[in-house]
């Protein structure tokens, strides 16, 4: 490689890494993510602590209101009197709702039940009331047919299916579909965001240097291709550095949040298990990641603290995934996708004088990236081995996102090798096109650029 190339790359890297904005964003983003997670968990747990009070006016004559079972989230309070009078009293109270059970309610076709509120009724409140009434009417129907709740519960069977990853050699590994899908979605989102973010940095950097005429001085001693590739590689180094620092800081922030909420979640688990002793093992299995022990092994631990620990254990969720392939593949496709799109972004920055003119050229370039993300999270995530997933992971413009979605699910080595080879070929072809545009556009001023003009630049000699 020419020495000028490395000088340009080093300059681009050090200039951006030493900026105060880089240091602030590198430190703040993990903290913002952690604070956002803290806020979500805080809101979710605080919502569970609130209890809605619903008045019940029972005119059915079947003592339905008195038999409604209050829960931690919903308290039913029977009231008496004419409906209009009860409505007025309810509006003066601090209660959260008024449930009206009209006369003539039948078990077979209960109609006329109304839930009054001082505003729009929330889905949570309506579902809680409907569930309580459904349970009450179901018990009455079973009692009328001679069945008891105990007999009905005995007839039910809860089956947990343990997913096992069986490789080509026959070796078995535990599989966690939720963790696999979550990691695949996160990797796709990171690739999508960072290709855009760092690609736009290249485009703006080239545009600023072109508008300030610094480019004319630099090109007197540096070839256009070396200048373009130096910028792309230097900013790629900035991206990898930021990735590494964010990863290290995010682990610490996640551990801190887990420690803050472990005690609260343990107490919640104890309450739920105490309220449903028959489903203790079932709850523990769900909280532990839906991993079921075989008959020869110990059952899933029913201890709430152990269940919470299992639920928030990163290593538990990642166990059985091809972590080596995921990490190496992510780096390869991040660099490959960034270099491919970065070259095109650099060509756009060199071709236009006004940054507002970049929009007409950005859309066709970024369309494959947007399309691969949308199809990836809607189609490939549901069927990572299907034909759509395969072909999109082979096309260089869509493979950076499509293939990283497939990596956690396991990809045959030959498909991975073919995809990487095609990505390299696509990158080389894209760089050739971008370099032809870059060398002409970087010294072109005051002319409105069109697609027809760009096509001519590709065949200029010299």
């Amino acid at each position: 490689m020419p020495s000028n190339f490395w000088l340009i790359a080093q300059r681009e890297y050090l200039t951006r890494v030493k900026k105060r904005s880089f240091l602030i964003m590198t430190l703040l983003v993990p903290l913002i993510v952690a604070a956002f997670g803290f806020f979500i968990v805080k809101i979710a747990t605080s919502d569970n602590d609130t209890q809605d009070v619903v008045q019940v006016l029972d005119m059915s004559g079947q003592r339905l209101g008195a038999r409604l079972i209050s829960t931690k989230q919903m308290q039913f309070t029977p009231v008496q009197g004419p409906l209009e009078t009860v409505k007025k009293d309810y509006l003066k109270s601090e209660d959260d709702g008024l449930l009206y059970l009209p006369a003539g309610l039948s078990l077979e076709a209960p109609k006329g039940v109304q839930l009054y509120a001082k505003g729009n009724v929330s889905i949570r409140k309506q579902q809680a009331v409907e569930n309580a009434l459904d349970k009450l009417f179901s018990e009455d129907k079973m009692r009328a047919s001679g069945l008891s709740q105990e007999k009905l519960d005995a007839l039910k069977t809860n089956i947990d299916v343990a997913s096992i990853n069986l490789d080509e050699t026959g070796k078995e590994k535990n599989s966690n579909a939720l963790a696999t899908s979550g990691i695949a979605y996160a990797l796709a989102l990171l690739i999508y965001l960072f290709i855009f973010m760092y690609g736009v940095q290249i485009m703006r950097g080239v545009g600023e240097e072109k508008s300030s005429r610094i480019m004319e001085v630099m090109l007197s001693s540096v070839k256009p291709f070396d200048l373009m590739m130096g910028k792309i590689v230097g900013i790629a180094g900035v991206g990898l550095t930021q990735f590494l620092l964010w990863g290290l800081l995010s682990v610490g922030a996640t551990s801190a949040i887990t420690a803050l909420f472990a005690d609260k979640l343990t107490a919640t688990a104890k309450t739920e298990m105490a309220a449903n002793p028959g489903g203790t093992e079932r709850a523990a299995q769900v909280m532990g990641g839906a991993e079921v022990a075989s008959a020869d092994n110990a059952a899933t631990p029913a201890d709430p603290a152990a269940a919470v620990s299992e639920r928030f254990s990163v290593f538990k969720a990642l166990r059985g995934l091809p972590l080596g392939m995921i990490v190496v593949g992510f780096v390869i496709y991040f660099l490959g996708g960034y270099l491919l799109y970065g070259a095109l972004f650099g060509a756009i920055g060199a071709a236009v004088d006004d940054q507002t003119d970049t929009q007409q050229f950005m859309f066709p370039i970024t369309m494959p990236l947007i399309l691969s993300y949308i199809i990836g999270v809607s189609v490939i995530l549901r069927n990572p081995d299907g034909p759509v997933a395969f072909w999109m992971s082979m096309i260089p413009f869509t493979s950076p996102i499509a293939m990283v979605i497939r990596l956690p699910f396991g990809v045959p080595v030959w498909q991975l090798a073919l995809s990487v080879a095609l990505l390299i070929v696509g990158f080389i072809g894209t760089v050739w096109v971008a370099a032809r545009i870059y060398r002409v556009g970087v010294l072109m001023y005051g002319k409105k650029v069109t697609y027809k003009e760009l096509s001519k630049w590709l065949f200029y000699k010299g």
Side-chain angles (χ1 to χ4, degrees):
M1 287 287 182
S3 59
N4 288 333
F5 165 80
W6 291 113
L7 288 175
I8 296 296
Q10 183 180 10
R11 172 187 172 274
E12 292 293 330
Y13 177 82
L14 294 178
T15 299
R16 284 170 169 77
V17 169
K18 290 180 179 180
K19 283 184 178 180
R20 184 178 298 177
S21 59
F22 173 84
L23 297 175
I24 293 175
M25 288 301 297
T26 301
L27 294 175
L28 281 184
V29 166
L31 295 178
I32 292 174
V33 172
F36 186 68
F38 176 86
F39 177 76
I40 291 177
V41 176
K42 184 68 176 176
I43 293 297
T45 53
S46 63
D47 185 61
N48 291 333
D49 293 337
T50 60
Q51 186 181 50
D52 293 332
V53 179
V54 175
Q55 299 178 9
V56 182
L57 177 60
D58 184 9
M59 307 294 289
S60 66
Q62 304 176 42
R63 297 188 66 254
L64 296 175
R67 292 190 290 122
L68 282 172
I69 300 176
S70 298
T71 63
K72 187 178 180 181
Q73 285 76 37
M74 183 74 63
Q75 178 183 344
F76 296 102
T77 304
V79 293
Q80 301 292 332
L83 178 59
E84 295 302 323
T85 303
V86 172
K87 283 182 183 179
K88 294 178 181 179
D89 294 339
Y90 160 68
L91 291 174
K92 298 176 183 179
S93 69
E94 299 293 330
D95 294 341
D96 302 289
L98 170 62
L99 177 62
Y100 173 61
L101 303 176
L105 272 180
S106 65
L107 293 178
E108 300 301 328
K111 295 181 179 180
V113 179
Q114 295 175 328
L115 178 62
Y116 298 95
K118 297 173 184 176
N120 292 326
V121 179
S122 66
I123 295 178
R124 172 179 173 270
K125 187 185 300 182
Q126 182 173 347
Q127 287 181 342
V129 172
E130 288 176 350
N131 291 338
L133 289 172
D134 288 344
K135 184 176 180 181
L136 185 61
F137 276 76
S138 297
E139 289 177 352
D140 287 349
K141 285 184 178 181
M142 287 186 294
R143 190 178 296 110
S145 62
L147 287 175
S148 64
Q149 184 66 44
E150 291 76 13
K151 290 181 179 179
L152 185 63
D153 290 338
L155 295 175
K156 293 180 180 179
T157 302
N158 292 322
I159 299 177
D160 288 304
V161 178
S163 56
I164 305 297
N165 183 5
L166 190 64
D167 61 19
E168 297 176 355
T169 63
K171 186 178 180 181
E172 298 181 3
K173 292 182 180 179
N174 291 330
S175 177
N176 191 318
L178 182 61
T180 303
S181 300
I183 292 173
Y185 180 83
L187 293 178
L189 184 62
L190 287 175
I191 291 282
Y192 177 79
L193 291 177
F194 278 88
I195 286 179
F196 261 110
M197 185 171 71
Y198 291 111
V200 170
Q201 284 190 25
I202 295 174
M203 184 180 66
R204 289 179 177 174
V206 173
E208 290 173 359
E209 291 177 355
K210 178 182 177 180
S211 61
S212 63
R213 300 299 177 97
I214 296 176
M215 197 70 71
E216 297 178 3
V217 179
M218 297 179 68
L219 289 176
S220 63
S221 56
V222 181
K223 294 180 179 179
F225 180 81
D226 294 342
L227 183 61
M228 182 185 74
M229 289 304 300
K231 284 181 171 296
I232 294 173
V233 173
I235 296 177
V238 176
L240 289 176
T241 301
Q242 206 161 41
F243 265 132
L244 178 61
L245 294 175
W246 280 350
L248 294 175
L249 293 173
S250 296
V251 170
T254 303
S255 301
I257 290 180
T258 301
L260 282 173
F261 285 94
D263 294 338
K264 189 174 184 63
L265 289 168
T266 301
T268 303
K270 287 181 179 179
T271 303
E272 293 176 354
M273 292 178 182
N276 186 20
T280 301
E281 291 185 5
R282 171 75 173 169
Q285 289 168 358
V286 173
M287 295 185 69
E291 180 178 328
V292 182
S294 64
D296 297 331
N297 299 330
T300 306
D303 177 49
V308 171
S309 177
E310 288 286 323
R311 184 181 185 180
F312 283 90
S313 174
V314 176
F315 298 103
K316 175 72 174 179
L318 298 180
R319 189 169 61 192
L321 295 179
L323 294 180
M325 179 183 289
I326 291 174
V327 174
V328 174
F330 177 80
V331 173
I332 291 174
Y333 282 97
F334 166 73
L335 289 176
Y338 162 76
L339 293 174
L340 188 148
Y341 281 96
L344 296 177
F345 276 111
I348 293 175
V352 300
D353 292 335
D354 190 353
Q355 292 298 313
T356 58
D357 295 334
T358 60
Q359 300 301 322
Q360 62 171 321
F361 298 107
M362 280 188 64
F363 180 74
I365 289 176
T366 57
M367 195 61 192
L369 192 65
I370 298 172
L371 184 66
S372 61
Y373 178 77
I374 295 174
I375 295 179
V377 298
S378 60
V379 178
I380 300 178
L381 200 60
R382 290 186 291 136
N383 187 14
D385 297 319
V388 174
F390 172 79
W391 288 110
M392 290 194 68
S393 62
M394 296 298 129
I395 300 173
F397 287 95
T398 58
S399 62
I401 289 181
M403 187 57 87
V404 296
I405 292 178
R406 297 181 62 197
L407 287 176
F409 297 93
V411 180
V413 177
W414 71 269
Q415 291 188 19
L416 187 61
L418 179 59
S419 176
V420 172
L422 292 174
L423 182 60
I424 294 174
V425 172
F427 162 66
I428 293 173
T430 303
V431 169
W432 182 86
V433 172
R436 306 287 290 187
I437 296 175
Y438 188 92
R439 65 173 186 160
V440 178
V442 78
L443 294 177
M444 186 75 69
Y445 298 97
K447 186 175 182 180
K448 191 74 172 179
V449 181
T450 62
Y451 287 105
K452 183 178 180 181
E453 188 71 22
L454 289 179
S455 64
K456 293 181 179 178
W457 293 359
L458 295 178
F459 303 101
Y460 281 177
K461 295 181 178 180

